[in-house]
Structure formats: C-alpha cells, structure tokens
C-alpha cells in the first residue's frame, strides 16, 4: 500500500506533464516518509534533452537535502527509466527504485538492459516493478492515442495581415515606388495585387502602368525596401506567439502559406523565436499560383503530411479564404485593422471569424480543461 500511495503522487506529476503536452511521466523521491523531490517530463517545454522526470526529481532532492548522495531514498517513477535516468540513479546512489509500467523501447531496468543489477558498477539498486502498472500504462496509451490524432491535424497561417501586422509594409513600398515614378498610387492597386506572388505583382505593375524598368529591377527595388522594414519594424499580432507555441506543444502540425518570400517573413519569425514551431513553409519561392487558386494551401498540407480535410487555415483576405475552402479546409477569417474594407467579404466567406488570436488560445485551453 505504501508503494501505491507514492506512485499515485508520481501519477499526479505525470498529469502535470500531460497538461503541457509533454509525454506524461512523473517521479517522486521519498526519504523516510517525506517526499524530498518531485519531477515531471519537461523536455519539449525546456528544449532540453536532460529534462526527464527522474532528472528533475533528483535535482530537487539534492537541493533539498544539500547532498548529491540520495542513499536513504526510494525513487518512484511511472515509467521504467531510460539509460540516462538509470545512470543518474546510479550516480546519486539511490538504493531503491519503484516503477509502474515497462518501457520496451528504452527501459534499462529490465526491458532492454538491467543497469541497476549489473554488479560491475560500484552501486546497485533494489527494484520493484508493476506498481499501479495498469494505470501508469493507461496514461501513456491515452496520451499517444491523442498524440496520433493531433498529428493528423494541421493549422495553416497566412503571414501578412493575418499573424503579422505588416500590411503597411507593402503600402509603404508601393507608395514609395509610385512616388519615385512621379505617380499617385492607384486607390485599388493594393487590392489588385493582394493575391499575387512577388513576380506576378511586378509583371502586372510593369505592364499596367508602363514602367520602364525591367521586372527584375522592379522586384529588386521592392525587395530592398521591404527587407529593411520587415527586419527592423514589423511585429507579430498579439497572442500569435503564444497560440502557435501552444499548438506546437500539443503536437499539432503548423504551416505557413504565404505569397511572401522567406527573406521577408523569416526575420520576423526568428525575432520572436518561433521559426522552429513551423513544420512547413509554402511561400512565394515555390512558384505556385496566387491565392485565388488553392494550390498553395494544398502544398502546405502536403508538406505537413496532413490531409486537407484536417487542416484549418487562418486568412485575412476573401480570396484566400475561398481558395482554402475549395481545397476542402476549414477557413477562419482574421481581423486586420488595415483592411477594414475587406471585413464584410472575409466574414461572408469564412467558416468562422475572429478579431484576434487571444480568443483562439482561450478557446483551445478551455476546451482541453473541460475534457
């Protein structure tokens, strides 16, 4: 009964890992009848390969007693320790280990190897396995079942105007361009090129407004002005970073589908340290048709390895929303204060409309708490 009591405490720790989207493994270290160390898996949240439940608990226990030797302790962990954690147990001189369920892929306390009984080391440990084994195994099984389900779902984001407050950049670049050519920028110019790729926009501009420069020269001028602005001044919209990191922690696939080129959007994503959250970038470099065609969304889904029907797209322009729906995806319209003239069209075309990503984050968090 004593073992079951402390294993339930370890399961509580495992549940904390699960709530953060981590593999649900929990650990407690007991000396006498006092818990001196607690830990749960934090590898993804800390981006640290060492942040296993046992390591976290050993660190706390050592801090609490002021000694690296845990010679009078028992370690309880929900899943059989891996090679690293077994080595840490040996190094900490822990004499007793109790675990719940076997780890057939990496367990080194009996499954793949039994390091704790190898007398070639200068320390061994007494092992008890299978304590609340069915409950510990069920926690892992349920997590990976949900994980596989999430892997089949993808979230695709447009960049300019959707997650980035950057619509003004191209307005500024366009205004400067026409001003340099002695013209006023046409009032409908931005709307006309909003779905075009960089190259398509340059061709359209040259041919429509009789620009002397070559298409390549037009693109070079736009490029330099835009890069300068993106690198220095463009910001992501409120709660975008938190929402995307939440999706990644929960193991959803995340993609970017934008007519923009990497040299524009990547500096912004890097500035906010979320580049690694994206599983796919379908952008202007791929030479795909503009967003009046669904190909860019279909390509992004393919790159993520997710069926189009399991993808949700966030867009701020009606054409993009219509194309995403043509691709068989759920399309969510996003408010952009610089595109008020499009709001009615966005609302009419979208499956759902949001004014910001805070409501998406809160909705996802509340939904999972209810479950």
């Amino acid at each position: 009964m004593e073992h079951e009591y402390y294993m339930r405490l370890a399961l509580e720790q495992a549940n904390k890992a699960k709530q953060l989207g981590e593999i649900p493994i929990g650990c407690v270290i007991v000396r006498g009848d006092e818990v001196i160390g607690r830990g749960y898996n934090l590898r993804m949240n800390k981006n640290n390969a060492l942040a296993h439940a046992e390591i976290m608990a050993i660190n706390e226990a050592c801090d609490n007693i002021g000694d690296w030797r845990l010679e009078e302790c028992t370690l309880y962990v929900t899943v059989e320790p891996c090679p690293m954690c077994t080595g840490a147990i040996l190094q900490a001189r822990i004499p007793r280990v109790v675990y719940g369920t076997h780890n057939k892929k990496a367990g080194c306390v009996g499954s793949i190897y039994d390091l704790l009984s190898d007398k070639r080391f200068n320390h061994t440990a007494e092992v008890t396995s299978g304590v609340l084994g069915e409950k510990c195994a069920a926690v892992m099984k349920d997590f990976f079942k949900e994980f596989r389900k999430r892997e089949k779902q993808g979230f695709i984001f447009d960049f300019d105007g959707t997650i980035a407050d950057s619509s003004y950049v191209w307005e500024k670049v366009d205004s400067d361009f026409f001003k340099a050519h002695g013209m006023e920028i046409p009032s409908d110019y931005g709307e006309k090129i909003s779905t075009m790729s960089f190259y398509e926009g340059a061709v359209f501009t040259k041919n429509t407004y009789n620009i002397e420069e070559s298409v390549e020269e037009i693109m070079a001028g736009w490029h330099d002005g835009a890069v300068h602005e993106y690198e220095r001044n463009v910001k992501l919209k409120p709660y975008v970073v938190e929402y995307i990191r939440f999706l990644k922690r929960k193991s959803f696939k995340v993609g970017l589908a934008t007519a923009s080129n990497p040299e524009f959007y990547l500096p912004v994503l890097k500035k906010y340290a979320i580049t690694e959250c994206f599983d796919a970038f379908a952008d202007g470099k791929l030479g795909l048709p503009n967003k009046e065609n669904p190909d860019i969304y279909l390509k992004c889904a393919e790159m993520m390895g997710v069926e189009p029907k399991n993808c949700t797209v966030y867009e701020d322009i009606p054409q993009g929303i219509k194309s995403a729906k043509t691709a068989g995806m759920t399309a969510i319209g996003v408010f952009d204060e610089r595109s008020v003239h499009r709001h009615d069209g966005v609302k009419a075309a979208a499956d759902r409309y949001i004014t910001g990503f805070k409501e998406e984050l809160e909705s996802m968090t509340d939904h999972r708490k209810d479950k």
Side-chain angles (χ1 to χ4, degrees), residues 116-136:
L116 295 185
S117 67
D118 192 329
K119 297 189 180 339
R120 290 175 293 180
F121 294 115
N122 64 354
H123 176 73
T124 59
E126 174 190 334
V127 176
T128 302
S129 63
V131 176
L132 297 183
E134 290 185 3
K135 288 188 177 182
C136 293

Side-chain angles (χ1 to χ4, degrees), residues 73-130:
C73 299
T74 302
L75 181 145
Y76 292 85
V77 63
T78 56
V79 177
E80 179 184 357
C82 70
M84 175 181 72
C85 294
T86 308
I89 290 166
L90 290 171
Q91 291 296 320
R93 306 293 192 268
I94 296 173
R96 289 174 299 279
V97 172
V98 181
Y99 71 84
T101 188
H102 294 288
N103 181 353
K104 295 180 180 179
K105 292 186 177 180
C108 280
V109 189
S111 289
I112 293 178
Y113 194 73
D114 193 353
L115 289 173
L116 295 185
S117 67
D118 192 329
K119 297 189 180 339
R120 290 175 293 180
F121 294 115
N122 64 354
H123 176 73
T124 59
E126 174 190 334
V127 176
T128 302
S129 63

Side-chain angles (χ1 to χ4, degrees), residues 6-18 20 22-30 35-43 46 50-61 64 75-79 85:
Y6 290 116
M7 188 60 71
R8 287 192 177 90
L9 296 183
L11 280 166
E12 290 177 5
Q13 296 297 307
N15 190 56
K16 292 180 181 180
K18 181 181 178 181
L20 293 174
E22 299 276 1
I23 295 174
I25 301 175
C27 179
V28 297
I29 296 174
V30 180
V35 176
I36 62 169
R38 295 175 175 83
Y40 52 91
N41 188 26
L42 281 171
R43 186 173 56 180
K46 287 184 173 291
L50 304 181
H52 286 204
E54 298 94 319
I55 303 297
M56 307 299 287
I58 289 171
N59 283 337
E60 183 176 285
N64 282 338
L75 181 145
Y76 292 85
V77 63
T78 56
V79 177
C85 294

